[in-house]
């Protein structure tokens, strides 16, 4: 199974105009050129005129360079950043409902605590948990949960931003006055 | 509804400078602002409100007989004039009928704006009468498309559509306009006219001027090359770069091949011109590429019909790729130097840099390469055998006679198939924008409407459509348009009673098992059909009649003319590189295969000697 953390995957952070049909244009391009999308997350940015689409692409289906160039031909795409795990901060959210009869429930709770996740709901034989973090951490958590029986699971797909340049002090203005 | 009294209140409360328009008027006015002289179109339900202001507009509307014809006419117009072609049709089936021309324009990078009517906004998504998801359907066959939702957005959208269609790598743009926003009876469809000064396209900024460093790197490779070839594609024509190309080729003494989309970009009669490469290219053009050590790809895209088997294409060549579309660089063949920019600007900068380096005086001596190339030209010219007495005509002969009896700047359009290849091979193109065909999509039926569009845009030029009998039957009804609208195109119908190219493939690759390719000579009766559509029509079956009838046709300038040339069905297009094969395996003519083998053996021996030396 393809996971967002696999090496053959690459993350593209795509700034688009926030207009009707833009997501369809992006999805359509991937479909018609035979590129594979591993995950996709879309939401408006702080400027309502733009949205950011974070796409994890399968670079084995096509060279990344071609994918980026073809994407950039879409008129509504304003900017594309290629983000590697080394120069980006990446997060993903997962929620899952796990089989949790009384005999294993404490073990699951313990796992959730170790991973610093949250318990969202508790039922007689199952609990719903959430975890946000780096995609690899979510992968590990999901693997461990699998032994207990996963009833439902949903991941958001990855969102990412470039890391800030460490050599530039971010809060330089503080001492100026 | 607050806008219910808008038209009235506008006249009473606004000052006299008020310029209130409804969406339909705004659309036509926007087209006028874009200097549109001709719209090829067909009215219908959803676009009806726009057809009312057309009556008072300063532009010509050509009423076609099928929406596909409108699209191809817009393409033909754009090819011939360099200006964007415009077509306008209604929603639903009309919109789906223009999908083919849009796809055609997309693959051949033709600047075109297509306006489609759409059902009223509140009806969208309800499976209304003549509703289809036009922007969804055309997304992958347009450079961009728009669904306009407010009347006041029409001027800006039209302006953006023309900008996108004509800049960067040109292409078709579709604007879908719901009926209610152009409806003169809808108070909300009125607004204060304003032509936008600025465009709102933050994601669209084509790079026209290449980087100096890339031009320098290209010049380095050109100076070092011993066997260079200029592999010229349609991008040179789109960039209006024929003059810069001539200068480049002459200064560097580099032979030029012109692809199917670039015929005419470099004069065929020029001693450096090798003609068309590719599957049905001539031996010299194909082989010069194969043996070259530097391929200067100028506005060409390494199409499979040119490269054959990609791994075996120009195996020893370094590649400098000039193209305005960054995505073409490295799509098929990884270039050694990649120059992103407009071809004309790029070549002008290239020529300037070459002069800086002392050219033409300092040009490397390339006479051995030139001699090798002319050797191939002498040994492997295009050939065919003239028909014997009593035999039907050879299509190649008909095209040669058309060529010699028509003005040299005649615009030639073709459909798709054998006749298209014969036309490209046997016509002599000495002027840019004289060859119009469907190269990428291979759209049968392209030639008649494209010729009409070309003639409408260039009324003073002679326009010949060279067509096949299969193609003719797909779009012939547009000759009615030509007759009624007084657009006197000329059609040379090469009737060989077969779908010739399919037949050729079945003959060569399916053991002559001819399947569903026979159309017949006599039904329809092409002469009667053409006459019934308002054309002058002739039928020619004998070699001796060819010249006289062509001369007669060339004198007619008030009506469309159709000449049916009864052609030999057995004629195949050669040279030919079998699909998926290496260009080294080009078959010039079945009889010449041994010669080719000898040539190849000699080349192999020479190469082996070169290695040991």
């Amino acid at each position: 199974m393809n996971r967002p953390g696999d090496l053959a995957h690459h993350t593209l952070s795509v700034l688009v105009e926030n207009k009707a049909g833009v997501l369809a244009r992006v999805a359509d391009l991937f479909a018609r050129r035979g590129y594979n999308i591993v995950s996709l997350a879309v939401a408006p940015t702080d400027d309502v005129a733009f949205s950011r689409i974070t796409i994890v692409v399968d670079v084995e289906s096509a060279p990344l360079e071609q994918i980026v160039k073809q994407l950039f031909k879409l008129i509504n795409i304003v900017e594309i950043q290629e983000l590697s795990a080394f120069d980006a901060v990446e997060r993903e959210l997962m929620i899952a409902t796990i089989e949790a009869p009384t005999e294993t429930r404490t073990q699951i709770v313990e796992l959730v605590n170790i991973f610093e996740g949250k318990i969202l709901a508790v039922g007689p034989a199952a609990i719903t948990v959430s975890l946000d973090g780096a995609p690899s951490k979510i992968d590990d958590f999901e693997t461990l949960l699998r032994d207990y029986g996963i009833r439902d699971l949903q991941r958001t797909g990855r969102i990412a931003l470039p890391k800030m340049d460490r050599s530039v002090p971010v809060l330089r203005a503080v001492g100026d006055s | 509804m607050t806008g219910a009294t808008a038209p009235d209140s506008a006249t009473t409360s606004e000052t006299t400078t008020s310029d209130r328009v409804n969406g339909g008027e705004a659309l036509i006015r926007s087209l006028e602002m874009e200097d549109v002289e001709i719209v090829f179109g067909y009215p219908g339900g959803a676009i009806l409100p726009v057809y009312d202001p057309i009556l008072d507009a300063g532009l010509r509307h050509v009423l076609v007989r099928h929406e596909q014809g409108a699209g191809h006419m817009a393409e033909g117009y754009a090819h011939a004039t360099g200006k964007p072609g415009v077509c306008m049709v209604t929603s639903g089936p009309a919109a789906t009928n223009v999908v083919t021309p849009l796809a055609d324009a997309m693959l051949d990078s033709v600047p075109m704006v297509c306006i489609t009517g759409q059902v009223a906004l509140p009806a969208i998504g309800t499976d209304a009468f003549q509703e289809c998801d036009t922007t969804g359907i055309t997304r992958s066959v347009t450079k961009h498309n728009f669904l306009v939702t407010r009347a006041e957005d029409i001027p800006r959208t039209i302006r953006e559509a023309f900008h996108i269609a004509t800049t960067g790598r040109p292409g078709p743009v579709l604007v879908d306009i719901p009926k209610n926003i152009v409806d003169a009876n809808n108070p909300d469809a009125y607004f204060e006219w304003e032509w936008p000064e600025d465009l709102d396209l933050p994601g669209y900024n084509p790079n026209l001027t290449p980087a100096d460093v890339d031009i320098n790197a290209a010049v380095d490779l050109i100076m070092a090359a011993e066997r260079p070839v200029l592999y010229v594609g349609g991008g040179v024509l789109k960039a209006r770069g024929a003059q810069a190309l001539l200068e480049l080729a002459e200064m560097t003494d580099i032979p030029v091949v012109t692809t199917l989309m670039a015929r005419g970009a470099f004069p065929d009669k020029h001693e450096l011109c090798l003609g068309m490469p590719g599957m049905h290219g001539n031996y010299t053009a194909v082989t010069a590429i194969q043996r070259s050590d530097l391929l200067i790809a100028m506005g060409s895209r390494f199409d499979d019909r040119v490269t054959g088997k990609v791994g075996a294409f120009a195996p020893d060549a370094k590649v400098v790729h000039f193209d305005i579309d960054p995505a073409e660089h490295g799509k098929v063949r990884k270039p050694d130097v990649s120059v992103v920019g407009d071809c004309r600007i790029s070549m002008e900068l290239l020529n300037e840099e070459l002069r800086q380096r002392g050219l033409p005086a300092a040009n490397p001596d390339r006479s051995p390469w030139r001699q090798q190339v002319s050797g191939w030209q002498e040994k492997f010219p295009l050939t065919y055998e003239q028909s014997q007495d009593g035999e039907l005509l050879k299509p190649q002969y008909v095209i040669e006679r058309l060529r010699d009896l028509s003005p040299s700047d005649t615009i030639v359009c073709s459909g798709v198939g054998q006749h298209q290849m014969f036309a490209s091979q046997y016509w002599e193109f000495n002027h840019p924008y004289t060859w119009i065909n469907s190269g990428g999509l291979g759209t049968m039926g392209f030639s008649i409407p494209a010729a009409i569009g070309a003639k409408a845009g260039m009324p003073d030029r002679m326009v010949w459509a060279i067509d096949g009998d299969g193609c003719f039957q797909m779009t012939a009804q547009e000759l009615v348009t030509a007759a009624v609208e007084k657009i006197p195109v000329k059609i040379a119908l090469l009737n060989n009673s077969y779908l010739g190219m399919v037949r050729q493939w079945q003959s060569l690759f399916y053991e002559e098992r001819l399947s569903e390719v026979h159309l017949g000579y006599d039904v329809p009766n092409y002469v009667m059909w053409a006459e019934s559509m308002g054309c002058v029509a002739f039928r020619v079956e004998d070699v001796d009649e060819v010249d006289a009838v062509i001369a007669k046709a060339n004198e007619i300038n008030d009506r469309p003319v159709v000449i049916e040339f009864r052609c030999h069905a057995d004629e195949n297009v050669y040279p030919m590189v079998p699909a998926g094969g290496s260009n080294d395996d080009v078959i010039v003519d079945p009889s010449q295969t041994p010669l080719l083998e000898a040539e190849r053996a000699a080349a192999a021996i020479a190469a082996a000697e070169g290695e040991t030396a």
Side-chain angles (χ1 to χ4, degrees):
Chain A
M1 186 182 136
N2 281 338
R3 293 295 189 76
D6 289 354
L7 282 176
H9 299 148
H10 214 103
T11 307
L12 298 177
S13 176
V14 183
L15 189 68
V16 302
E17 288 184 80
N18 188 7
K19 287 186 174 168
V22 175
L23 178 61
R25 288 178 200 279
V26 172
D28 180 69
L29 175 80
F30 274 77
R32 74 173 188 266
R33 295 217 179 247
Y35 309 152
N36 290 337
I37 298 178
V38 178
S39 82
L40 184 75
V42 196
T45 62
D46 57 320
D47 181 345
V48 289
F50 301 100
S51 287
R52 191 173 291 283
I53 304 181
T54 309
I55 313 172
V56 180
V57 296
D58 177 358
V59 293
E60 279 175 350
S61 67
L64 183 70
E65 184 187 328
Q66 255 303 298
I67 299 177
V68 170
K69 285 174 167 180
Q70 292 292 349
L71 265 179
F72 204 60
K73 283 173 75 168
L74 296 179
I75 307 293
N76 298 126
I77 288 187
V78 178
E79 187 185 83
I80 303 173
Q81 285 177 296
E82 302 171 27
L83 301 176
S84 77
F86 302 108
D87 52 24
V89 281
E90 301 176 323
R91 283 296 178 270
E92 199 178 348
L93 171 67
M94 180 190 85
I95 56 176
T97 299
I98 314 296
E99 300 288 354
T102 44
E103 51 273 24
T104 58
R105 186 176 298 162
T106 50
Q107 294 174 23
I108 294 167
V109 171
E110 201 176 324
L111 264 180
V112 171
N113 287 335
I114 290 167
F115 276 83
E116 297 178 313
K118 288 195 182 72
I119 292 166
L120 303 181
V122 183
I127 58 178
T128 300
V129 302
S130 77
L131 179 70
D132 65 275
S136 57
K137 179 181 170 185
I138 308 240
D139 289 348
D140 295 344
F141 188 51
E142 189 184 325
T143 306
L144 289 167
L145 288 178
R146 189 161 289 126
D147 292 341
Y148 297 97
I150 296 171
R151 218 183 255 185
D152 277 312
L153 182 143
Q154 179 64 55
R155 295 171 68 151
T156 56
R158 186 187 310 200
I159 57 170
L161 287 175
K163 271 183 192 163
M164 282 179 287
D165 192 339
R166 276 185 222 154
S167 61
V168 179
V170 181
L171 297 173
R172 206 158 83 192
V174 175
D176 278 1
S177 56
Chain B
M1 200 187 288
T2 51
T5 57
D8 293 335
S9 64
T11 50
T12 52
S13 64
E14 301 277 323
T15 61
T16 48
T17 57
S18 166
D19 192 5
R20 266 183 106 64
V21 292
N22 67 46
E25 292 163 342
L27 176 60
I28 298 301
R29 196 145 149 190
S30 301
L31 295 178
E32 289 169 342
M33 293 298 288
E34 290 291 345
D35 295 326
V36 174
E37 10 166 70
I38 304 185
V39 174
F40 303 95
Y42 203 102
I47 198 75
L48 257 173
V50 181
Y51 270 81
D52 188 63
I54 274 189
L55 284 172
D56 309 318
L59 48 79
R60 178 181 182 189
H61 182 275
V62 172
L63 176 63
V64 301
R65 293 303 186 268
H66 186 287
E67 289 91 351
Q68 184 190 357
H72 291 320
M73 285 178 206
E75 286 186 272
Y77 174 89
H79 273 292
T81 64
K83 292 184 273 191
V86 181
C87 66
M88 180 156 74
V89 301
T90 191
S91 63
T96 57
N97 278 343
V98 294
V99 169
T100 300
L102 288 171
D104 195 275
M106 186 68 178
L107 275 182
D108 286 347
S109 306
V110 183
M112 171 173 160
V113 173
C114 176
I115 292 152
T116 48
Q118 181 55 277
V119 300
L121 273 171
I124 288 181
T126 66
D127 305 319
F129 177 65
Q130 292 193 329
E131 181 188 0
C132 75
D133 174 18
T134 303
T135 48
I137 289 168
T138 59
R139 196 183 292 131
S140 64
V141 296
T142 52
K143 185 174 174 185
H144 193 57
N145 61 21
F146 297 90
L147 171 64
V148 189
T149 55
R150 303 185 311 171
E152 58 267 39
D153 291 341
I154 288 173
R156 187 181 45 77
T157 308
I158 294 296
R159 188 157 177 227
E160 288 176 357
F162 277 84
H163 178 71
I164 292 168
T166 54
T167 54
R169 180 179 184 170
V173 178
L174 180 138
V175 182
D176 200 24
I177 300 191
K179 185 174 189 177
N180 59 316
I181 69 164
V182 286
D183 183 358
N185 298 317
N186 172 16
D188 288 339
Y190 285 79
F191 65 99
E192 194 68 25
W193 167 263
E194 194 189 345
W195 185 242
E197 291 298 315
D198 301 312
L199 300 168
D200 180 25
L201 296 168
Y204 181 70
N205 187 22
N207 178 35
L208 301 182
T209 308
D212 289 344
V213 56
D214 295 334
I215 292 288
N216 277 316
V219 170
D220 290 344
L221 285 186
I222 290 170
M223 295 299 281
E226 290 175 2
R227 303 186 308 280
V229 171
L230 268 159
Y231 155 39
V232 170
V236 168
L237 289 174
K238 298 298 181 325
R240 320 305 282 186
Q243 187 55 41
L245 172 65
L246 187 67
E247 199 183 330
L248 171 63
E250 288 184 342
M251 183 161 48
T252 55
D253 202 25
I254 296 177
V256 176
V257 303
T258 47
T259 68
L260 184 64
M261 291 310 296
R263 306 287 291 125
F266 193 76
D268 275 338
K269 67 179 176 201
H270 198 289
E271 57 167 2
L272 285 166
C273 191
L274 311 185
M276 180 175 75
M279 180 176 272
H280 293 296
N282 71 71
Y283 180 84
T284 306
V286 171
T287 307
I289 289 180
Q290 288 303 95
R291 301 282 177 275
S292 69
D293 67 348
L294 177 67
L295 210 49
I296 307 162
M298 190 64 72
S300 47
R301 62 179 176 89
F302 297 84
D303 180 82
D304 57 89
R305 284 314 194 246
V306 167
T307 62
K309 189 179 183 183
V310 173
F313 179 68
D316 305 326
K318 289 190 170 173
V319 171
V320 189
H321 197 169
F322 292 79
D323 202 291
I324 196 161
D325 181 356
E328 288 302 339
H329 295 255
K331 187 182 80 178
V332 176
R333 171 86 174 238
K334 192 172 161 45
D336 296 273
V337 173
S338 171
V339 187
V340 177
D342 172 89
C343 276
R344 182 179 57 79
I345 296 172
S346 298
M347 283 189 288
E348 284 169 358
L349 291 170
L350 194 62
N351 291 342
E352 184 52 41
E353 179 59 28
L354 285 163
R355 276 190 291 269
Q356 293 279 326
R357 304 229 192 155
L359 262 67
N363 195 42
D365 176 22
R366 299 205 171 97
S367 49
W369 173 232
R370 288 287 310 284
Q371 279 160 18
Q372 198 177 0
V373 169
S374 13
W376 292 325
Q377 282 176 312
E378 275 168 39
K379 213 163 176 187
F380 302 107
L382 289 171
T383 57
Y384 69 93
E385 281 178 27
Q386 178 59 292
S387 40
Q388 307 294 310
D389 281 349
E391 274 188 333
L392 290 172
L393 305 165
K394 289 296 175 79
Q396 300 97 321
Y397 175 73
V398 173
I399 291 165
E400 284 182 331
R401 297 315 299 151
L402 277 170
R403 173 194 70 196
D404 293 343
L405 294 169
S406 305
S408 78
D409 65 352
T410 298
I411 295 171
V412 183
C413 302
S414 92
V416 170
Q418 285 186 322
H419 67 276
Q420 174 191 29
M421 292 297 110
F422 287 137
S424 175
Q425 290 176 337
Y426 286 90
W427 200 276
E428 190 180 84
F429 295 99
N430 287 321
H431 306 275
Y433 316 107
T434 52
W435 168 242
I436 298 173
N437 86 131
S438 168
L441 194 65
T443 308
M444 285 181 68
F446 178 80
S447 72
I448 292 175
I452 295 170
K455 181 72 180 172
M458 302 294 252
D460 298 333
R461 297 272 288 278
M462 186 176 285
V463 178
W464 270 105
I466 295 173
D467 216 2
D469 44 323
C471 284
F472 187 89
Q473 293 189 54
M474 286 197 174
T475 51
Q477 80 282 352
E478 296 308 338
L479 288 172
V480 178
T481 308
V484 172
E485 297 275 350
K486 305 227 178 304
I487 304 170
V489 293
K490 304 180 198 307
I491 316 296
L493 166 58
L494 306 180
N495 178 10
N496 68 350
S497 83
Y498 277 96
L499 297 175
M501 189 60 93
V502 185
R503 180 192 147 114
Q504 175 169 347
W505 283 53
Q506 289 177 347
S507 300
L508 297 175
F509 309 121
Y510 292 85
E511 299 165 343
E512 299 192 24
R513 286 161 55 84
L514 302 187
S515 173
E516 302 298 327
V517 288
H518 186 239
L519 301 174
Y521 280 111
D522 298 315
V523 180
N525 181 322
Y526 292 100
V527 170
M528 283 172 66
W529 188 10
E531 284 174 346
S532 76
M533 291 187 287
C535 306
V536 181
F538 305 96
R539 177 177 298 131
V540 180
E541 295 176 89
D542 194 289
V543 172
D544 298 334
E545 300 165 13
V546 171
D547 284 14
V549 176
I550 292 173
K552 217 184 282 179
N554 279 352
E555 277 168 19
I556 296 169
N557 206 24
D558 59 345
R559 273 168 296 171
V561 188
V562 175
I563 310 178
E564 177 198 0
F565 294 98
R566 290 270 170 116
C567 291
H568 214 287
D570 288 335
E571 203 59 27
N572 282 342
V573 183
Y574 285 103
M576 178 175 193
V577 179
S582 160
N583 281 347
D584 286 335
D585 300 327
V586 54
I587 306 163
V588 172
D589 184 287
S591 64
Q592 284 177 312
T593 312
L595 244 180
L596 278 177
E597 279 164 4
E599 159 96 1
R600 250 178 250 131
I605 291 165
E609 281 171 353
E611 275 166 26
T612 51

